Amino acid sequence: LFYAFHSFVPISHKFSLIRCLIFRIYSIATTYSWFHQDLTFLRKKFIGNGFPTKLIDKCTNEFLAKLYEVPDDQVHTVSKKSITFVLPFLGQPSYLLAKRLRQLIGKFYPCVDLKVVFKRGFSIKDMFRFKDILPLECKSGVIYYIKCKKCGPSAAYLGKTKNTVYERFYSSNGHLNPRTENSALHGHISETGDPECEFVFKDIQILGNCSNDLRLRYMESVMLKLGKKQTLNTQEYSI
């Protein structure tokens, strides 16, 4: 939840962090003594992360002032239309662009209340994966789809397996095992007699996955009815 004040995030996020934690302390504390004690502890934490004391005190004073201020009499007018504009945060150029947008909207569309929100941009973690990609051969509990290299979707097979994809295609009763009898894939190749007709293992598409076999059957049944075009799996449903 905490980050350093000099981290590369919009300044509005840093204000929001302080206000959010002050509000949490105020909501949880049962007495003002506890509130003061927790607020002092929070202040030390922020200072340790490089937050200026003026910024912390400003947010604290604004929060307390808002609690006890008496609203002034306001003249009721037509409210402005609120529009939110989301921009990637790129440092100082983002602030300049947001300022320029507000000036242009205020000049040509005074009835619009423009709110510019910054979202996190590219970071180092976007360059790396937290987990290794599981090879196709090792994936299990999946809905798979494979089509003839020449015939395409007109000769395709959609099915499910709770075992690994490799086992489903190359085990003793696998789709691509030469010794398998009554294989729909081998049957298509035999019927056409075309040497260019073949099913390539690496071309298998994974349409979905689930660790529960019953749910996997439901998924397969739905996809057989409403999913991709396929003709080689003659089952209407697998439930």
Side-chain angles (χ1 to χ4, degrees), residues 40-157:
T40 303
F41 175 78
L42 182 65
R43 192 172 187 274
K44 292 180 180 178
K45 284 289 185 181
F46 276 124
I47 293 173
N49 281 332
F51 281 72
T53 54
K54 289 184 178 180
L55 179 63
I56 303 170
D57 294 339
K58 179 183 178 181
C59 291
T60 304
N61 292 336
E62 288 177 352
F63 176 81
L64 294 174
K66 189 177 293 186
L67 289 176
Y68 299 106
E69 69 179 0
V70 179
D72 298 330
D73 293 335
Q74 298 180 354
V75 179
H76 295 285
T77 60
V78 178
S79 59
K80 293 184 177 182
K81 183 178 180 180
S82 180
I83 296 179
T84 303
F85 203 79
V86 182
L87 294 174
F89 181 69
L90 302 174
Q92 190 63 25
S94 296
Y95 294 126
L96 296 176
L97 178 59
K99 181 180 179 181
R100 184 59 178 156
L101 284 172
R102 293 192 188 98
Q103 290 174 346
L104 290 173
I105 294 297
K107 180 179 180 180
F108 295 103
Y109 299 95
C111 59
V112 173
D113 179 21
L114 180 66
K115 297 179 180 179
V116 180
V117 178
F118 296 115
K119 68 176 183 178
R120 182 184 61 83
F122 183 80
S123 61
I124 295 177
K125 73 174 184 178
D126 296 326
M127 303 172 62
F128 305 95
R129 291 181 177 270
F130 289 106
K131 296 182 179 180
D132 295 331
I133 300 177
L134 194 65
L136 175 63
E137 294 87 345
C138 300
K139 292 182 178 180
S140 60
V142 298
I143 305 293
Y144 59 86
Y145 178 84
I146 186 171
K147 58 186 178 181
C148 177
K149 193 172 183 179
K150 180 182 179 182
C151 305
S154 61
Y157 188 98

Side-chain angles (χ1 to χ4, degrees), residues 132-144 160-169 201 204-210 216:
D132 295 331
I133 300 177
L134 194 65
L136 175 63
E137 294 87 345
C138 300
K139 292 182 178 180
S140 60
V142 298
I143 305 293
Y144 59 86
K160 67 94 181 171
T161 177
K162 61 181 181 179
N163 299 319
T164 63
V165 179
Y166 185 86
E167 288 178 304
R168 183 66 186 92
F169 278 79
F201 182 82
I204 296 173
Q205 300 176 35
I206 303 300
L207 305 182
N209 65 287
C210 182
L216 201 63

Side-chain angles (χ1 to χ4, degrees), residues 25-35 38:
I25 290 175
Y26 179 80
S27 302
I28 295 173
T30 55
T31 63
Y32 279 100
S33 176
W34 281 107
F35 175 67
D38 291 340

